[in-house]
Amino acid sequence: MDLGNRVEITAVATQGRYGSSDWVTSYSLMFSDTGRNWKQYKQEDSIWTFAGNMNADSVVHHKLLHSVRARFVRFVPLEWNPSGKIGMRVEVYGCSYKSDVADFDGRSSLLYRFNQKLMSTLKDVISLKFKSMQGDGVLFHGEGQRGDHITLELQKGRLSLHLNLGRLRLPLPILPSATLGSLLDDQHWHSVLIERVGKQVNFTVDKHTQHFRTKGETDALDIDYELSFGGIPVPGKPGTFLKKNFHGCIENLYYNGVNIIDLAKRRKHQIYTVVSQPICFVLMVSTTLGYGSIANQYLLLTEAVGYEAFLLSPFCQLIWFFSFMFSFIRCLPNYCEHGGSCSQSWTTFYCNCSDTSYTGATCHNSIYEQSCEVYRHQGNTAGFFYIDSDGSGPLGPLQVYCNITEDKIWTSVQHNNTELTRVRGANAEKPYAMALDYGGSMEQLEAVIDGSEHCEQEVAYHCRRSHGTPFTWWIGRSNERHPYWGGSPPGVQQCECGLDESCLDIQHFCNCDADKDEWTNDTGFLSFKDHLPVTQIVITDTDRSNSEAAWRIGPLRCYGDRRFWNAVSFYTEASYLHFPTFHAEFSADISFFFKTTALSGVFLENLGIKDFIRLEISSPSEITFAIDVGNGPVELVVQSPSLLNDNQWHYVRAERNLKETSLQVDNLPRSTRETSEEGHFRLQLNSQLFVGGTSSRQKGFLGCIRSLHLNGQKLDLEERAKVTSGVRPGCPGHCSSYGSICHNGGKCVEKHNGYLCDCTNSPYEGPFCKKEVSAVFEAGTSVTYMFQEPYPVTKNISLSSSAIYTDSAPSKENIAFSFVTAQTPSLLLFVNSSSQDFLAVLLCKNGECDGMMLSGVSA
């Protein structure tokens, strides 16, 4: 239903078809501004189902709990009268909605010039709505000469707020003050509200609010000259920007009560527009052009910040007419990812991935696994590995140590200073500060931490006449100062001994706070993930007489893979999970595990106006990958020689890039088709991503899906399943698929997130019961093991009293072992009991192993 303009919708009403038995008994609502990108109506964070009609004539009204602003409304019938067909008469109630909207094309920004040179504020309120088609871009920015700055920007689909009031005393890396949201580049409207009073800040995105205290010397935010919206122009360089500009729409933009967009619409003198200026340059080519009287040997191209494109300007307009002559320049732009080098022929381009950590036709796929859990699942044991936490995403691989010898698979990331370090002569004016380098970016470390169930770092602070808190602190991932120490929860200025009341001085909450002349320490584990890793330690109290401190910070250690075992169970064909649109114009990879007993069903689907992408099990032994980028559908099918609906885990990976489309199932041969060089090549989707079903609610999937990744990014299936009917978080039965990985009599034990091998009844140990438990015996040595009696007994037990245990004694003995020796005769094993029974295994001189069982004879 097209309402003509964007309006505020407050209620709906329905009837059945007049004079018929056709009516809808339940339905849902979807809204859109464009008629292409739809959003479902929700209440209580779940898709809302409206009760419909019970006959054809009665009118059923529903007032929306939250009004919706949209131009298009879609009624989606869910159930209808079984004796009739779908029939609806609908009405929509609401009122007109007026707003001020600015469209940013990714190459320009608005400047709001202040009436005075300096704008100093103790309180700020900034509000806006935005929708974006790109995951990165600056929404607004302002800065002052003293170091004050405020920046709001999209980073990988998340909204980051940078805020500082004056210069910091310590030079620290610039990290966001707060980050909220995810997948905000879904082309839907999102609301933002920033409220600041002094250093206290409330940062709200949609309905989620983060409270924090910002850094700085004062309570005032001093901004010089202007605020910029949509980008950060470089002073003195018109048309040049520091960061990627915002590409999308901003609505109702208010800065401290000033309607910025309204000022721009009325062309007020405070508003200026900055546009990226195209630059023409000359590129030699080996052909001659002719157009009328024009003949030359040059190709004019344009270069704008962040991209290359043909230019349509009066000066360079001629190039548009001849651009088809130069289609052989296939490495501009370079579609080889992750630093792959591009070469070309007259018909296509090639990617050389040899100097990268990636592979594939466009260097899209990481050669490393995403976690230690995956390496363990492949049968690896402890050692150093590279992990690529976001797979084909922008983050590079990081070297870690995978400790796979325990039930928990620990991932350790070392830094550059793990030894005990002594500190003297530090005070508040000359603080001691040591930054820790983990050999990777903060984004890589955050990906490891966020993908783990638990992370920790051991922190030891040794002191002699050196106070701990508040004179010593550490800096975490968000660039914030933390005065608490190992074993203490965040937000509490104390140490582990303060929690269990075991400090040297009960008047203090840390041992070092007692300021003793003798050495003491505060040691424990930091385990609040949002603060890890430790990036810096600062000490300011070691310049007094006999004052000294020493510190040691252990490696970052994490366990529990939140990605690999993230699973859901679909138990009705009408159930599905929905996620924001999958944006993958040039490269798309989808991977997951599934198990089912159903004959067919759709794993996932995402639609565009014409384009679409779909993965399904089309028969008990076939997986089908269908995709259309505007040139007609392409289908790849992998046929398995054995049934795939055997209730065992199977792996699927589908990929599409500008070179090829491929489908892999388990270890079967990969199905591949080259991408056409002609026609459309961008995959343009705009609907929601459906997992376990389709938008038509047909061919739903029954079974389990696990570890779903799109372009290296995990979809949190379990979290979404908690608020979706017909879907349960988790999926039991891992041992039915992976039990064979436990060797030598080891038993597979089911866990919520995976499985483990119990080696209790095996003469082997290790994560897969494959490591021998052995010992080397020198001549004359032995090992004695004392078995416990079945019941507690006293030391002076009589021979007759031991008869009470006769019934509990086993009727037979099972003994198995291996040995290597060159000495005979040898006593390999001897077992005796309080009843004087014994069993002995001897290696006799003839080289044969002989067993003897004597009963009732003294040993």
Side-chain angles (χ1 to χ4, degrees):
M1 179 185 294
D2 185 354
L3 303 178
N5 293 294
R6 196 158 176 253
V7 299
E8 186 157 357
I9 302 168
T10 59
V12 295
T14 60
Q15 277 182 291
R17 190 192 305 273
Y18 177 75
S20 72
S21 58
D22 302 338
W23 60 83
V24 171
T25 57
S26 67
Y27 61 93
S28 63
L29 290 177
M30 300 180 74
F31 300 93
S32 173
D33 288 335
T34 63
R36 298 185 301 273
N37 194 28
W38 294 87
K39 190 172 185 177
Q40 291 183 299
Y41 178 76
K42 293 183 178 182
Q43 284 185 200
E44 301 173 0
D45 291 329
S46 61
I47 298 173
W48 194 254
T49 299
F50 293 86
N53 301 90
M54 301 303 294
N55 54 54
D57 299 321
S58 61
V59 178
V60 178
H61 292 264
H62 288 287
K63 185 176 180 180
L64 303 186
L65 184 63
H66 308 289
S67 62
V68 177
R69 294 164 184 168
R71 174 178 172 176
F72 297 90
V73 184
R74 176 180 288 173
F75 290 76
V76 182
L78 303 179
E79 297 176 300
W80 50 90
N81 178 20
S83 302
K85 300 178 181 178
I86 297 176
M88 295 186 80
R89 288 177 282 174
V90 301
E91 284 187 341
V92 176
Y93 302 87
C95 51
S96 61
Y97 172 71
K98 293 183 178 181
S99 64
D100 296 305
V101 181
D103 186 3
F104 292 83
D105 61 2
R107 295 178 293 172
S108 58
S109 70
L110 286 179
L111 296 185
Y112 172 51
R113 294 273 171 86
F114 304 137
N115 294 325
Q116 62 266 29
K117 178 180 177 181
L118 175 69
M119 177 68 76
S120 182
T121 57
L122 292 172
K123 180 172 70 172
D124 289 301
V125 178
I126 304 171
S127 62
L128 59 96
K129 284 190 173 183
F130 76 91
K131 64 176 180 179
S132 175
M133 55 192 69
Q134 291 184 350
D136 298 274
V138 174
L139 278 83
F140 69 80
H141 170 79
E143 62 182 66
Q145 295 180 354
R146 294 180 56 253
D148 298 58
H149 65 261
I150 181 171
T151 305
L152 182 69
E153 65 176 318
L154 273 172
Q155 293 180 318
K156 300 176 184 176
R158 306 185 71 191
L159 208 54
S160 297
L161 175 63
H162 303 258
L163 182 59
N164 180 53
L165 308 179
R167 287 188 294 269
L168 293 174
R169 294 183 180 180
L170 294 172
L172 297 173
I174 299 176
L175 294 173
S177 305
T179 301
L180 278 177
S182 63
L183 302 173
L184 298 178
D185 54 344
D186 57 358
Q187 300 183 45
H188 290 298
W189 286 105
H190 299 280
S191 61
V192 181
L193 175 62
I194 301 171
E195 302 167 297
R196 181 188 68 87
V197 179
K199 292 187 176 69
Q200 300 298 326
V201 183
N202 293 338
F203 178 36
T204 303
V205 176
D206 295 331
K207 297 179 182 180
H208 304 284
T209 301
Q210 185 171 342
H211 311 278
F212 68 92
R213 181 177 176 86
T214 188
K215 298 288 185 180
E217 297 176 337
T218 68
D219 289 337
L221 176 62
D222 297 337
I223 302 297
D224 293 337
Y225 301 110
E226 64 194 17
L227 279 172
S228 63
F229 299 91
I232 308 178
V234 178
K237 294 184 179 181
T240 306
F241 296 88
L242 282 176
K243 290 190 173 185
K244 189 170 184 179
N245 287 30
F246 174 74
H247 191 181
C249 299
I250 296 181
E251 178 186 63
N252 294 341
L253 172 57
Y254 285 86
Y255 168 70
N256 290 337
V258 177
N259 188 335
I260 302 297
I261 300 176
D262 179 64
L263 291 180
K265 288 167 63 177
R266 293 189 286 130
R267 301 188 178 184
K268 292 297 183 179
H269 69 278
Q270 301 103 311
I271 300 294
Y272 298 81
T273 303
V274 179
V275 181
S276 174
Q277 300 295 324
I279 304 168
C280 291
F281 66 93
V282 177
L283 175 69
M284 294 294 296
V285 295
S286 58
T287 188
T288 301
L289 291 179
Y291 180 75
S293 61
I294 299 174
N296 57 49
Q297 289 184 317
Y298 304 102
L299 169 65
L300 296 180
L301 299 177
T302 66
E303 181 177 74
V305 175
Y307 72 100
E308 292 84 27
F310 287 102
L311 179 67
L312 287 175
S313 70
F315 180 71
C316 298
Q317 189 171 3
L318 184 62
I319 294 312
W320 180 259
F321 298 108
F322 296 119
S323 63
F324 69 93
M325 298 289 292
F326 302 95
S327 61
F328 63 86
I329 305 179
R330 300 182 182 277
C331 287
L332 186 66
N334 182 6
Y335 290 112
C336 301
E337 302 177 51
H338 301 107
S341 60
C342 182
S343 60
Q344 65 183 50
S345 67
W346 285 98
T347 57
T348 189
F349 70 94
Y350 306 94
C351 295
N352 183 354
C353 311
S354 58
D355 294 330
T356 73
S357 298
Y358 298 84
T359 186
T362 59
C363 310
H364 180 73
N365 307 314
S366 178
I367 63 176
Y368 301 111
E369 303 298 343
Q370 289 190 264
S371 68
C372 289
E373 180 73 43
V374 183
Y375 282 115
R376 180 254 190 187
H377 187 70
Q378 295 175 344
N380 292 282
T381 53
F384 285 96
F385 296 88
Y386 280 94
I387 62 172
D388 196 333
S389 296
D390 68 340
S392 59
L395 298 180
L398 176 70
Q399 188 180 44
V400 302
Y401 182 79
C402 297
N403 186 353
I404 314 179
T405 60
E406 304 177 25
D407 292 343
K408 294 183 176 68
I409 294 88
W410 287 91
T411 302
S412 297
V413 187
Q414 298 283 348
H415 56 75
N416 59 333
N417 199 335
T418 56
E419 301 299 323
L420 189 67
T421 304
R422 292 178 176 267
V423 179
R424 293 179 180 174
N427 54 43
E429 287 70 32
K430 289 180 22 180
Y432 168 88
M434 173 60 70
L436 303 182
D437 182 3
Y438 291 83
S441 67
M442 183 54 64
E443 289 80 7
Q444 289 173 300
L445 297 172
E446 288 179 5
V448 173
I449 295 170
D450 295 343
S452 303
E453 294 178 3
H454 171 85
C455 291
E456 65 184 29
Q457 272 187 281
E458 186 179 28
V459 177
Y461 183 70
H462 301 261
C463 54
R464 183 176 64 180
R465 295 206 66 206
S466 173
H467 289 97
T469 57
F471 299 96
T472 301
W473 63 89
W474 56 276
I475 306 295
R477 75 155 84 172
S478 299
N479 216 18
E480 294 182 347
R481 167 175 162 173
H482 300 294
Y484 73 94
W485 292 89
S488 174
V492 182
Q493 190 171 302
Q494 60 179 325
C495 306
E496 186 175 31
C497 69
L499 295 177
D500 54 24
E501 299 181 351
S502 62
C503 295
L504 295 176
D505 188 337
I506 60 173
Q507 296 181 356
H508 299 283
F509 296 105
C510 291
N511 289 321
C512 289
D513 293 349
D515 201 26
K516 299 288 186 179
D517 291 330
E518 302 81 18
W519 279 101
T520 185
N521 72 88
D522 289 300
T523 302
F525 286 92
L526 303 171
S527 58
F528 186 62
K529 285 171 48 178
D530 290 350
H531 290 170
L532 296 177
V534 179
T535 61
Q536 192 175 47
I537 185 170
V538 181
I539 299 173
T540 65
D541 184 29
T542 59
D543 65 339
R544 294 178 291 155
S545 176
N546 294 325
S547 178
E548 188 176 2
W551 62 272
R552 190 186 71 82
I553 297 176
L556 173 68
R557 301 175 72 239
C558 301
Y559 71 79
D561 191 333
R562 298 179 62 237
R563 304 183 187 95
F564 191 66
W565 299 107
N566 190 291
V568 291
S569 304
F570 298 89
Y571 56 92
T572 67
E573 289 189 357
S575 60
Y576 63 87
L577 299 177
H578 62 91
F579 294 89
T581 306
F582 180 30
H583 295 294
E585 291 188 341
F586 304 116
S587 294
D589 73 83
I590 304 167
S591 64
F592 58 91
F593 294 85
F594 79 92
K595 69 174 183 175
T596 183
T597 57
L599 300 178
S600 63
V602 175
F603 297 126
L604 60 87
E605 178 187 80
N606 208 163
L607 304 179
I609 300 175
K610 294 182 178 179
D611 300 1
F612 72 87
I613 190 168
R614 183 185 302 114
L615 262 167
E616 62 181 306
I617 177 170
S618 47
S619 78
S621 59
E622 286 185 349
I623 303 296
T624 301
F625 177 37
I627 185 170
D628 188 351
V629 296
N631 305 317
V634 173
E635 277 196 359
L636 293 180
V637 178
V638 171
Q639 287 190 327
S640 171
S642 57
L643 294 178
L644 297 172
N645 64 341
D646 56 358
N647 205 28
Q648 303 291 310
W649 285 114
H650 297 280
Y651 178 70
V652 176
R653 191 181 193 280
E655 182 182 354
R656 179 262 171 186
N657 55 55
L658 296 183
K659 297 285 291 179
E660 64 182 21
T661 303
S662 64
L663 175 64
Q664 177 87 48
V665 179
D666 292 333
N667 294 318
L668 298 173
R670 191 171 67 128
S671 176
T672 305
R673 185 175 300 180
E674 289 188 4
T675 301
S676 172
E677 297 287 340
E678 306 297 330
H680 301 282
F681 60 90
R682 293 174 181 263
L683 176 63
Q684 297 180 318
L685 308 173
N686 54 34
S687 73
Q688 290 181 318
L689 170 68
F690 289 83
V691 177
T694 67
S695 57
S696 62
R697 293 177 176 264
Q698 297 177 351
K699 301 175 69 176
F701 174 72
L702 284 172
C704 299
I705 295 178
R706 172 170 67 85
S707 188
L708 175 59
H709 288 78
L710 276 64
N711 276 353
Q713 298 297 315
K714 176 206 74 174
L715 295 190
D716 196 341
L717 303 174
E718 292 187 351
E719 197 63 30
R720 188 61 60 94
K722 292 177 182 177
V723 294
T724 306
S725 61
V727 190
R728 294 191 187 98
C731 182
H734 298 303
C735 283
S736 62
S737 296
Y738 304 129
S740 60
I741 206 169
C742 301
H743 298 273
N744 301 305
K747 180 182 178 183
C748 182
V749 179
E750 195 80 23
K751 296 170 57 181
H752 171 68
N753 289 330
Y755 64 93
L756 61 86
C757 294
D758 182 2
C759 307
T760 303
N761 297 322
S762 169
Y764 293 78
E765 61 182 5
F768 311 110
C769 308
K770 294 175 68 175
K771 181 181 178 182
E772 288 185 336
V773 180
S774 59
V776 177
F777 294 87
E778 299 291 341
T781 62
S782 64
V783 172
T784 302
Y785 180 80
M786 303 297 294
F787 292 97
Q788 290 186 342
E789 293 280 6
Y791 303 99
V793 294
T794 61
K795 289 184 179 180
N796 298 324
I797 185 170
S798 65
L799 190 61
S800 59
S801 65
S802 63
I804 63 173
Y805 305 119
T806 302
D807 294 337
S808 64
S811 59
K812 65 178 182 178
E813 306 286 349
N814 293 315
I815 300 173
F817 61 90
S818 302
F819 68 91
V820 175
T821 183
Q823 180 179 338
T824 56
S826 296
L827 174 62
L828 301 179
L829 178 70
F830 181 79
V831 181
N832 70 336
S833 69
S834 57
S835 62
Q836 297 184 349
D837 293 344
F838 73 90
L839 181 150
V841 180
L842 303 172
L843 183 64
C844 302
K845 289 184 178 182
N846 59 8
E848 296 180 358
C849 184
D850 186 16
M852 296 167 50
M853 180 67 136
L854 300 178
S855 177
V857 179
S858 173

